[in-house]
Amino acid sequence: MASIIKKIITTAKAPLPVGPYSQAVVVDRTVYLSGALGTDPATGKLVEGGAIPEAAKALENIIVLLAAAGSKIDNVIKCTVLLNDMADFAGVNLEYKKVFTKDLPARTCVQVGKLPLGANVEIEVIAVVGDCTVEHVTVD
């Protein structure tokens, strides 16, 4: 049986973990990103201004991590958005739509009790490595 390689991805260009986990893990051609907060990689602190700026920064951090893992935002297949307050849903969606502009990934968005560092938003993604061909299929 062939061995599967599990690559642990670490980059100082994105915020370092605030707990015992990896920034990203690649197995075969799939990239699993840990939840990204809207933190500045240089300071490790959340950006100011609440959920919307935090979402924008979290998405920037995701783009950097995907690149470090050999992937890109267009290769995201699943996204999970965790909100401290569902009242931020519309504003976070505005930032989300600036990054995910076509061939949207599957997504879940939920309100949670509390996020690390007192964050308002956390976003995690699963993506693939390599070139992707997109087919749109509609089933009646």
Side-chain angles (χ1 to χ4, degrees):
M1 179 177 240
S3 176
I4 295 175
I5 297 172
K6 177 171 109 173
K7 296 179 189 174
I8 306 300
I9 307 299
T10 305
T11 179
K13 294 179 182 179
L16 296 174
V18 296
Y21 57 86
S22 299
Q23 288 172 307
V25 177
V26 178
V27 177
D28 196 17
R29 293 182 59 181
T30 306
V31 182
Y32 301 88
L33 264 64
S34 293
L37 301 175
T39 51
D40 181 333
T43 65
K45 295 184 189 271
L46 289 169
V47 296
E48 294 181 1
I52 295 169
E54 285 180 35
K57 188 62 179 175
L59 290 162
E60 286 178 28
N61 292 335
I62 286 168
I63 291 167
V64 168
L65 282 166
L66 286 170
S71 189
K72 58 188 177 179
I73 203 73
D74 289 343
N75 286 10
V76 173
I77 57 172
K78 176 69 168 88
C79 185
T80 303
V81 179
L82 307 171
L83 298 176
N84 192 46
D85 186 346
M86 196 56 80
D88 294 322
F89 183 79
V92 169
N93 273 344
L94 292 175
E95 294 303 317
Y96 185 91
K97 290 190 290 187
K98 291 177 184 176
V99 173
F100 294 103
T101 59
K102 61 182 169 100
D103 305 321
L104 302 173
R107 186 179 95 170
T108 301
C109 182
V110 296
Q111 179 175 314
V112 296
K114 191 171 184 178
L115 292 168
L117 304 179
N120 293 291
V121 180
E122 183 172 8
I123 303 172
E124 71 172 26
V125 301
I126 300 171
V128 294
V129 176
D131 294 328
C132 293
T133 301
V134 177
E135 293 183 12
H136 293 268
V137 178
T138 302
V139 180
D140 295 331

